Each structure stands twice: as C-alpha cells, then as structure tokens.
Amino acid sequence: MVGVHVKSEYSTTCLLECVPGCTCSYKGAKRAFPGHSDGTGRIWLDDLRCNGNEGSLFQCPTNGDAPGVHNCAHHEDASVECDAVCETFPTLTNGDVLTKGATLTTGTRYSTLKFSCNNGYQFTGTQERVVCQANGRWSSFSGYCKGPQQEMMRIVGNRTNGRIEVHHEGKWGTVCDDHWDMVDAAVACQQLGFTNALAAFTASPGSGPIWLDDLACVGNESSLSHCAGNRRGHHNCGHSEDAGVKCSASINVRIVNDPGHAAQGRVEVYHRGEWGTVCDDSWSISDGHVVCRHLGFPGARRAYDGQSDGSGNIWLDNLACNGSEGSLFQCAGNSPGVHNCNHREDASVECEALCSTYPTIQNGGFPAYESTGTLCSIAPIVCNSGYRYSTTDDWVKCLADGTWSTPTGQCIRI
C-alpha cells in the first residue's frame, strides 16, 4: 500500500490511474497493483497521471483534483512493488558476475546478475544467476567455478615413440593427423613429461573414438585439449590417420636432495623451460612411485610433505596417479600451473635406491640375489655350507645413497 505524508498525517493513495515508477526511491517499480490491505485515515491523492520522471507524487498531473479530493474508498488503496538496490556485488572465486554481457560498472544498479567464470574455468552448480531481493540483498546461489583438469594422455608403442591417445569420457581414443605437426607433437611430449618432440608422424592404426582433429597448437599450451581445433569427437578421419609422436628421452623430473640422500628430497619438474615444484595436495605413495620409476629407481619408499621450500613456479597440484604412469604429467590432476598452494606445501619423495653391486662376504654371499641387474632393497646373507652367520642381523639394506649397509657379522665355521 502506498502512503503519503501531508499536514503531519500519513494516508493512502487511490489506485485509479496510478502510473508505476514515481513512488520508489529505489531503482524503479517492478509493478503497481491494487492494494491487498486496506489503509485508514485520509485518501490524499486520486486520478494521478505520472510520467515516471517526477520526484514526488505531488508533482504528478491529476484530473484537477486537489490533495484530499477523491471519490474512493480504502478498498481501492494503491500498492507498488519496487526494485531493490543491491550495489555490493556477490563475489565468485575464479570468476565474476556480468549483466547483459557487459562488465559491471561501479555505482550502476542491477536487478539480475549472471555469473561468468574466468577463462579455463566452468561454472558448476544449479543456480547461475542471482536476483536483487526487496531487502537489498542478492539471492543466494549454488555453484562454483571449477578449475581445469589435466587430461590423461599416453603413447601406445614404447615409452617415447608411438601412437598418441587421449582419455575422455571414460574412453581412450586417438588423435587425427590432419594438420598434425612438430608444434602439436611438442605440446604432447611436454604434457607427457618429456622435454621436447623429435618427430611427428602417422602412426599404426588404433581403435575406439577419434577424439581430436585439426589441431593448431601454438606451442605454449599445457595440454593438447587446450589447442585450437575441432570440438571433441568431431572429425573426418579414419584410424589409418592416427597421429604419432617420438619424444626426447630427456628426463624432466628431478629430486632436489636432502643432504646426504641421493634418492630423497623435494620433487621438481621441468615445464615450459623452467624447473618448478609439485604441491603436496593429495600427494601419495602412488605419485611417489611415478617419480622414482621415471628416474630409474624401482619405486618409492615414502611420499611426504616437503621439509624444504622450493622457489619459482608450482607446476602441478592435486595429482591422482595410479602408479603406472610414465610421468607425473600423465597423471590426473590440475593443468600445469593451476594450483592453490605455496612453497611450504612442496612435495617430497624418498625412492627405493639402486644397489646392484653386493658387498663381499667371506665364506658366504647372496646367491639368491646375484643375477645381473637385480634391484633389491633388502638382501639376506647366506653362508656357505659348514658356516653360519655370527649375528642375528643376517641381512644388508640398500641405503638411499645407493650403497649397501655394512654387514654386522661374518660367516664362521660351525
């Protein structure tokens, strides 16, 4: 119900001919309608002819009726619903709010806003818009800007040379060789954890979906899925056109050693010409296995939170390796460079060391473990016939520096 103040009295306005817009000190009127509740006292205004630009109802033209002159009753009292003022916009991590495709302007009032996520992010939720409510607050929303995920990729052939396949919608599929070149191959190799590409070619035919076609990478993408090209699954190819790659075997992961430990320390990876660290969010023994095996160790003893801070870029975060990948860049996780970490969270690993040259034991040895190239972390000492070991610690341990521990006893005659 609309009330006006005249001669120290608040009273009502008759609904006849009331034009919306002239009663709100808000943005404007959403609607003008007959009153749902009857007022009391005087009816001051009737037969208003507002155009919407007046600063007060008393500035609006009428049919000549002076204030207080009317032919109404209180069941005809006029009502209005105003657009509220909501100038403090809601915030959205990794995104912003837009109106009608334009960036928000300070001091401008809006009744409805649409969320827009930053490049590389996608809004996930049930409510992508907010409405300015009558209480001057924006309606609540459900959703967030979801960050990009690193797409899994593999080489089918051998570790560095073969057909490129990408994983999408739960299926492995191939890449068409239309426009496939060394720039595309370099992006693929770097995504797989190699430093560069040596060749781009048509590979042996694969099977299943053909996920990517007409790629046009510029070389700075972190994944083939970020390169320009056809939409996922759209192509004009057969599997006789599957793309292949030969990658440089140069290692792009290293362990920055803790003092005195050649196989233990902070994990760093090489990407886009720079060494950087790995965040320990979701860091696990499976991730550690990938690092250690990439470096030629049999596996990881433990994966742990970094005890020394690195510097530079944090290249990887939220890794979810299964342990069989050839590189951390093949593991599921955020795209390279996307993280919410600082260097206090740098990940570390301790690898199972390589100890293939066993210590010499007089009158004994390691007969079950002395085949060439065998890698062990613990080896039992076996004395020759007629001898026994002098202590109960009849084994040696492969130390992190690549040497065996010193035997604590000797083989003595029985």
Side-chain angles (χ1 to χ4, degrees):
M1 179 182 65
V2 177
V4 292
H5 189 264
V6 180
K7 296 180 181 179
S8 300
E9 294 183 46
Y10 267 107
S11 294
T12 61
T13 301
C14 183
L15 64 83
L16 298 178
E17 305 292 347
C18 184
V19 177
C22 50
T23 61
C24 287
S25 59
Y26 297 90
K27 174 186 174 183
K30 286 183 178 177
R31 62 188 180 118
F33 56 96
H36 295 304
S37 61
D38 298 346
T40 58
R42 297 177 182 271
I43 298 175
W44 281 120
L45 298 175
D46 187 18
D47 292 330
L48 293 173
R49 297 288 190 276
C50 303
N51 61 34
N53 296 321
E54 297 83 358
S56 164
L57 287 180
F58 291 98
Q59 297 175 16
C60 296
T62 68
N63 287 340
D65 296 334
V69 178
H70 64 87
N71 59 348
C72 303
H74 280 298
H75 66 270
E76 300 174 84
D77 288 343
S79 295
V80 70
E81 179 184 0
C82 294
D83 272 337
V85 178
C86 296
E87 292 184 339
T88 302
F89 305 117
T91 58
L92 187 66
T93 303
N94 296 316
D96 204 344
V97 281
L98 304 179
T99 178
K100 297 180 180 178
T103 304
L104 297 179
T105 304
T106 302
T108 304
R109 297 171 180 173
Y110 302 96
S111 57
T112 302
L113 295 177
K114 182 179 184 297
F115 289 114
S116 176
C117 295
N118 295 340
N119 187 33
Y121 290 78
Q122 183 177 5
F123 189 83
T124 300
T126 58
Q127 180 62 34
E128 196 172 359
R129 297 177 184 272
V130 289
V131 177
C132 183
Q133 303 175 119
N135 61 4
R137 298 178 181 178
W138 292 101
S139 60
S140 60
F141 65 94
S142 173
Y144 64 99
C145 289
K146 184 178 180 181
Q149 294 291 303
Q150 179 169 309
E151 188 170 56
M152 289 189 292
M153 188 168 63
R154 67 185 181 185
I155 296 177
V156 178
N158 62 43
R159 180 169 173 266
T160 62
N161 188 355
R163 184 177 62 251
I164 283 288
E165 295 191 353
V166 295
H167 193 265
H168 180 65
E169 294 182 349
K171 297 179 181 179
W172 285 101
T174 62
V175 177
C176 182
D177 66 2
D178 291 348
H179 306 297
W180 179 250
D181 60 18
M182 285 295 293
V183 178
D184 306 326
V187 172
C189 288
Q190 290 172 20
Q191 182 181 348
L192 287 166
F194 301 101
T195 55
N196 210 344
L198 300 177
F201 54 88
T202 301
S204 60
S207 60
I210 298 175
W211 286 127
L212 298 175
D213 185 22
D214 290 330
L215 290 174
C217 304
V218 297
N220 61 1
E221 298 87 352
S222 60
S223 165
L224 284 182
S225 62
H226 296 164
C227 297
N230 290 358
R231 287 191 299 120
R232 196 65 51 84
H234 289 250
H235 63 87
N236 61 346
C237 308
H239 282 296
S240 62
E241 302 170 84
D242 286 344
V245 69
K246 182 177 181 181
C247 298
S248 167
S250 299
I251 299 298
N252 71 341
V253 64
R254 67 184 181 186
I255 295 175
V256 178
N257 303 330
D258 290 342
H261 298 278
Q264 177 180 338
R266 183 177 63 251
V267 176
E268 294 191 355
V269 293
Y270 191 77
H271 185 66
R272 294 184 183 175
E274 297 182 28
W275 287 100
T277 62
V278 177
C279 183
D280 65 7
D281 291 349
S282 306
W283 183 247
S284 71
I285 191 65
S286 295
D287 307 325
H289 283 321
V290 173
V291 172
C292 294
R293 290 166 183 164
H294 195 171
L295 292 170
F297 297 100
R301 282 184 178 155
R302 64 187 179 113
Y304 58 98
D305 298 342
Q307 296 171 341
S308 63
D309 298 347
S311 60
N313 290 305
I314 298 175
W315 282 127
L316 298 175
D317 186 21
N318 290 323
L319 291 174
C321 306
N322 60 37
S324 64
E325 298 87 353
S327 161
L328 287 181
F329 288 94
Q330 297 177 20
C331 299
N334 290 6
S335 290
V338 178
H339 66 88
N340 61 346
C341 307
N342 56 59
H343 284 296
R344 293 192 303 274
E345 302 171 84
D346 288 341
S348 294
V349 70
E350 180 184 358
C351 295
E352 294 279 6
L354 297 174
C355 295
S356 55
T357 301
Y358 300 97
T360 300
I361 303 294
Q362 187 175 6
N363 298 315
F366 306 87
Y369 295 87
E370 288 181 344
S371 58
T372 302
T374 300
L375 305 176
C376 307
S377 58
I378 296 177
I381 299 171
V382 179
C383 293
N384 295 341
S385 178
Y387 291 81
R388 65 175 179 84
Y389 201 65
S390 61
T391 73
T392 57
D393 295 329
D394 55 349
W395 52 271
V396 289
K397 180 180 180 182
C398 182
L399 304 175
D401 62 1
T403 63
W404 291 100
S405 61
T406 302
T408 60
Q410 56 187 322
C411 290
I412 59 176
R413 188 177 292 275
I414 296 174

